[in-house]
Structure formats: C-alpha cells, structure tokens
Amino acid sequence: MFADPNLISEILIENPMRDALGELEWERLVEEAKLYDRYYGATNVWTTYEKPKEIDYEPTELSINYPRKLVDTIAAWQFEKEPKVTVPPDILDDPVNMTLNNYVPSDEQQAENSRAKIKERLLTWVWDDNHMHEKLLAAAKDRAISTTGVYARLHYDTRRGKIRVFWHPSTEVIAVHNEWDVDELQEVHFIAFLDPEQERLWRLSYYLVWHEDRGEYDCELFEAVYDSGFNIVEERVPRQSMGLDFIPVVEVPVDKLTGAIQGESELGKMTQLADEIDRKLSDYSDALRFEMFAITILTDVDEDPKNPLKISPSAKWNLGDSDKDSGKPEAKKLEGGFKFREAIEGYLDRMYEALHEISEVPIVNTADMKTGGINDVALQLLYSAIISKTQRAWVVWQSRLRLLNEYILRYMKARKDHPRFIYDRKWVDELDGFYDSKIIFNLPTPQDRAALIEQLSAEVAMNTESIKGAIARSGKENAEAKLMEILQERDLLRRRTDPYNEGGEE
C-alpha cells in the first residue's frame, strides 16, 4: 500500500492528494511507511551510505535486522497463547443467598445467565469465523511498528450474511478524532492502491453525523476509486446511512500520553542502537579481512606506476628503499595483532544489552544460573520485564477488544432482518442493551502446573473464582462444555450414592 515512501513521493509529489491529506498527515504516512520498510529490511543503515573514495575495497555492509526479531517477540508474548472471550452474567440475586446449598436462581437471574451465554456464543462464533487468534498476532506486530496504532474494521458481508473483522495498519488509515475527546472517532478514511503502478487509489470513508432533530448519531458510508490526480473514476457506494449510531471501527492505539494522537514506535526506539550494531559488526568483519589477508610491504624494489598503493585487504605497498647499507629487496606482511578484539566484543555486548533494555525483552541464559531447577516464581523473575510490558499492552487490548465485541453485537442487531443473516435470530432477539465482555489472556511462559492448579483450587474454595473461570485460566478448551461435563458427573455420582434412590435411576 504505502510500502515504498520514495516511490510515493515520486508519484504524488505534485498530486492533489498531498494537499487533501494535509502536510502533517502526509508526513505521518511517509514516516510510518519508512518504519515498515525498516521492519521488512528494505531500508537499513546502509541505504544512504556512500563508500569513501580513498578506499579500494567494498566495505562489509551487514544488516542483522534485529528490531524485527524483537518486534515479533513482543507480539508473540501478547498473543502466542490464544485469548478467550467470556461474558460473565450480572449478579441479580442476593449474593448471600447464592452461597446457600439450597439456592435456586430466580427467574431474572436465570434469564441473565441465559443472555450472557448467548452473547458469549455469538462472539465466539464471530471470533472463530474471522481467525482472530491469527489476526491478533499480526495486529500486535503492526501496533509495535506504528506511531499511532492498528485499526479493526467491521463489515457485514451481504453475500454470506456474516460479520467480518478486517485489520488495517496505520499506513492505510486517516483517522479524525473528536476535538474534545481523542478516544472518539469522528471520521475514518481507509486508503489503498489497487494496482502495482499505484495510479488507482481506493477510499472507504465513515462519517459520524449528529442529527439534532432526531437526537441521535448516524454513521454514513462512502466508497470510491480515484486516479493519480485524485479525481473520482468510480463511485462504488454513494454517501449513505448505514443504519448504525456508531462507526464500526476500533482503534488500538500505541502507548502515549494523555490527550496525544501519536506515540512512539517500539521499532523506532530500537533503530539507532541497531544501526550502531550493524556498523560495528561490519567494521569487525573488515578488520578480520585485513587480519586474514594482511597488506604486503615491498621495500627496495622498483615501484610499478601502474599499480599504486591501495587500501584494501591483501594489497601490496611499495615503500621504496629500506636498508641503505645492504640495499637488499625485502617483503613482509603488515600485521596488527588484532589487539582490539576484546574491546569491540565488549562494546557489542553493551549495545545488545541496551537494545534489549529499551525493548524490555530480556536476555535470559539459564545455563549461567547456579540452580538445580527453575520454578514458576523464578520464571516470573527472569521474564519480569517482558511480562510487565505484555500486561501493560493487555490493558489497551482488553478495553479495545471489549469495545469491538460491543460493536459486533450491536451490528448483529442492526442486520438481523437481512435475508442471508447466518446467526441465530432468536439469540440476537434475546440481547439487551448491555454488551460487557471480558478477554482472558495467557502468558506463553512455561508454568508450574502443580502450583497453578493449587492456586485455582484455593480461589474456587474461597469463592473468589468460579469453576468456569478456573477452567478457562487453566488453559482447557471450551470451558463451558467442560463445566457442564463436571456438573453432569457430580450429579451422576450423587444419584448413585443416594440411599433414597431406590430405583437406581441414573
């Protein structure tokens, strides 16, 4: 889309699109496109490098692209383990009565439990259809690259009758926020080139319009294709109402200060140190070349005017007369002894440590630990930096994914009368005006299984965690089905051991 900022500048430097976007928005797009080029390795510290004229060899230009590895690691910590969607029901009955052995849920509580289960099933249905685990892992990488964030867009597929969730990098999005509330999107424009020559530009726009006479918001949609002069060549969808009172787009922002629209890219924070590492590793490689292929010094020989002195490995230097008394020709190697090896290796180690410290991805070498084993507490300490970073990221993902779930359910209610609507209409009719949900995240660290089960058992016994919640946190698939299986087995055992069950019914 905007993968090559230099190409964009060449194509659109005189284009009205630049004026339409505005200078600040244009600069953001180009800057973020450069960050993506950094991630893919298309640009690096050597992109603008020019070889000095005084050297006669091609200097080594190593590019390790270490920031990409760190960005992938940060994303893996957030979503390597599949997140689970759960909808806990509101507590309508007296909590004291709910702890009694003979407690029977009231009709209102039973209705609320049923609604919560329906919401969870509908959301899980959409998440599974849209391969959300896979998409979230990729979106976390985009968020770490960007200076603004990543965007989730909801779309109702009229051919299949399904809710689709599309994720967009910030280089495809122009977001206009409310001037009084930076968390509210007033307009959202999606742009992308449709051809390799980048002469046909696709645009999809959402507008949140307030109607004073009706006292409600209305989301309007517009879709068109433009030529290189930013003139409309195809109007796919004229501007019209979507029948929604919200823009079906959720922004997942990067870490930033209060009231700010932009933050700092995780990848951008690493580039300076990564460039220094690439330079020093390249210098190290050249030093090895000079050490392995030393310069040959010739003395007291006739100089060849066609072969002047060169600065390169294995070059030959003619330094003229050596011993005036003997006048014997002499040849020897100019060797440096490679005395700076420890210094350069120590410097590189410091650069690697600084890079990991900035990214909060620890360097862990368990072989250096003087211990016979590693338990769950030790793992928490070893990975404390990346665990803290991951949990801070989850604070943002939790609130934004919950908002996305709310929009999914509200979108379903608005489209349930469509003839190809694939979801259960009876379930959708049961939805009320409350759309709260919760995302359960899991760290990818190997856990002390016995300690985890002991902790969950204690929480269930103290009524600080539900059985279903404990099952989900333990990593079991389909916590609701597992809970029903447990309850059925308990009921079966109870009836078998009941002395008054004369008929032996099971």
Side-chain angles (χ1 to χ4, degrees):
M1 303 306 178
F2 284 96
D4 189 343
N6 296 322
L7 182 59
I8 293 171
S9 300
E10 292 174 4
I11 294 177
L12 301 176
I13 188 71
E14 303 295 337
N15 197 292
M17 179 182 174
R18 183 166 187 166
D19 296 331
L21 293 178
E23 193 66 28
L24 291 177
E25 198 64 26
W26 175 265
E27 290 177 357
R28 179 190 69 81
L29 287 175
V30 173
E31 185 62 32
E32 292 199 329
K34 291 179 180 179
L35 290 171
Y36 275 92
D37 284 346
R38 274 278 183 172
Y39 176 81
Y40 289 117
T43 61
N44 52 53
V45 66
W46 308 110
T47 300
T48 57
Y49 172 77
E50 294 183 4
K51 186 185 76 171
K53 296 180 180 180
E54 61 270 13
I55 63 176
D56 303 298
Y57 69 100
E58 291 298 324
T60 303
E61 297 179 3
L62 293 176
S63 179
I64 308 301
N65 201 4
Y66 211 57
R68 176 170 181 168
K69 173 184 178 296
L70 295 176
V71 165
D72 291 349
T73 301
I74 291 171
W77 271 83
Q78 295 175 17
F79 292 112
E80 182 176 315
K81 290 289 188 69
E82 183 178 3
K84 303 292 185 181
V85 181
T86 181
V87 180
D90 289 337
I91 303 301
L92 303 181
D93 290 350
D94 188 343
V96 176
N97 293 334
M98 296 176 69
T99 61
L100 302 177
N101 293 331
N102 58 350
Y103 165 70
V104 176
S106 64
D107 294 342
E108 293 80 5
Q109 186 64 59
Q110 289 182 358
E112 171 59 20
N113 295 344
S114 177
R115 278 193 300 267
K117 191 176 298 183
I118 286 173
K119 294 173 187 176
E120 186 174 310
R121 288 179 176 176
L122 289 172
L123 292 173
T124 303
W125 191 343
V126 174
W127 275 51
D128 290 344
D129 276 353
N130 285 275
H131 311 287
M132 284 291 282
H133 186 201
E134 174 188 344
K135 301 294 179 61
L136 287 171
L137 186 58
K141 298 178 185 179
D142 286 291
R143 182 173 178 266
I145 296 170
S146 172
T147 61
T148 50
V150 65
Y151 295 79
R153 176 173 63 90
L154 295 179
H155 169 72
Y156 179 71
D157 189 340
T158 56
R159 294 175 298 174
R160 298 180 176 89
K162 292 183 177 182
I163 300 290
R164 300 294 307 279
V165 183
F166 297 107
W167 291 89
H168 295 267
S170 56
T171 50
E172 296 179 359
V173 184
I174 309 297
V176 180
H177 297 79
N178 187 298
E179 60 182 356
W180 298 107
D181 184 1
V182 295
D183 290 328
E184 181 180 306
L185 295 172
Q186 206 72 38
E187 298 178 12
V188 185
H189 308 274
F190 296 91
I191 53 177
F193 287 110
L194 300 178
D195 58 331
E197 294 77 19
Q198 300 188 350
E199 294 180 351
R200 300 180 70 243
L201 182 73
W202 168 77
R203 170 190 169 190
L204 176 65
S205 299
Y206 297 90
Y207 304 89
L208 189 62
V209 181
W210 170 254
H211 293 279
E212 185 67 37
D213 55 336
R214 298 183 307 199
E216 62 182 21
Y217 282 102
D218 183 31
C219 180
E220 296 180 355
L221 174 71
F222 174 75
E223 184 178 6
V225 178
Y226 297 78
D227 60 15
S228 58
F230 205 57
N231 301 307
I232 295 179
V233 296
E234 179 186 354
E235 188 175 82
R236 294 184 173 180
V237 180
R239 183 161 172 170
Q240 58 186 256
S241 172
M242 294 185 67
L244 303 175
D245 59 356
F246 61 93
I247 293 180
V249 175
V250 174
E251 176 189 16
V252 185
V254 301
D255 293 338
K256 57 188 180 182
L257 298 177
T258 303
I261 300 297
Q262 287 186 248
E264 187 175 5
S265 166
E266 291 287 343
L267 184 142
K269 293 188 294 186
M270 309 174 196
T271 54
Q272 186 175 2
L273 285 172
D275 287 349
E276 178 65 6
I277 289 173
D278 287 345
R279 281 191 291 263
K280 288 299 179 285
L281 282 175
S282 300
D283 292 343
Y284 201 175
S285 176
D286 286 338
L288 286 173
R289 291 165 64 187
F290 273 97
E291 191 67 19
M292 295 172 64
F293 306 100
I295 293 174
T296 301
I297 299 178
L298 304 177
T299 58
D300 202 22
V301 296
D302 293 333
E303 180 179 358
D304 184 0
K306 296 181 181 180
N307 186 23
L309 298 180
K310 292 184 177 181
I311 303 177
S312 66
S314 72
K316 294 180 180 180
W317 287 0
N318 185 355
L319 299 184
D321 296 339
S322 58
D323 190 340
K324 294 183 179 180
D325 295 333
S326 64
K328 295 180 180 179
E330 184 180 359
K332 61 181 179 180
K333 296 290 185 181
L334 182 63
E335 298 178 349
F338 210 46
K339 299 177 181 179
F340 62 90
R341 183 185 66 182
E342 294 183 0
I344 188 64
E345 290 180 352
Y347 180 74
L348 283 171
D349 287 342
R350 288 180 178 270
M351 290 296 100
Y352 281 120
E353 290 174 2
L355 186 62
H356 279 265
E357 185 175 354
I358 287 176
S359 65
E360 299 183 65
V361 178
I363 303 175
V364 177
N365 185 4
T366 56
D368 296 335
M369 298 180 60
K370 307 299 182 182
T371 178
I374 302 177
N375 58 22
D376 187 54
V377 176
L379 281 173
Q380 294 284 331
L381 293 175
L382 283 172
Y383 294 101
S384 59
I386 187 67
I387 289 175
S388 174
K389 184 183 188 69
T390 302
Q391 290 176 337
R392 296 198 307 270
W394 284 345
V395 172
V396 179
W397 283 105
Q398 178 74 247
S399 64
R400 302 301 166 142
L401 290 176
R402 290 170 69 178
L403 180 60
L404 181 66
N405 287 341
E406 176 185 338
Y407 285 176
I408 289 173
L409 295 176
R410 292 169 66 180
Y411 212 151
M412 282 185 179
K413 292 175 70 174
R415 295 292 183 268
K416 69 181 180 64
D417 294 328
H418 188 271
R420 294 192 185 92
F421 190 76
I422 195 173
Y423 308 102
D424 193 314
R425 289 185 173 87
K426 293 181 179 179
W427 287 2
V428 178
D429 288 335
E430 291 292 325
L431 298 179
D432 55 13
F434 300 94
Y435 307 98
D436 193 24
S437 64
K438 184 179 180 182
I439 315 300
I440 298 177
F441 301 100
N442 292 288
L443 290 168
T445 53
Q447 296 186 1
D448 187 331
R449 191 71 183 171
L452 177 62
I453 297 302
E454 183 179 351
Q455 177 186 348
L456 294 176
S457 300
E459 292 181 7
V460 171
M462 296 173 62
N463 294 322
T464 58
E465 177 62 283
S466 65
I467 298 177
K468 178 182 173 183
I471 295 172
R473 287 169 55 191
S474 70
K476 297 285 187 181
E477 294 290 336
N478 199 340
E480 183 175 328
K482 181 61 68 174
L483 175 60
M484 295 303 299
E485 181 182 345
I486 293 172
L487 293 177
Q488 288 175 0
E489 287 185 355
R490 285 184 178 179
D491 184 59
L492 177 62
L493 292 174
R494 180 185 59 78
R495 282 182 285 145
R496 281 184 173 180
T497 57
D498 187 357
Y500 299 100
N501 187 17
E502 298 178 356
E505 296 179 359
E506 297 183 357

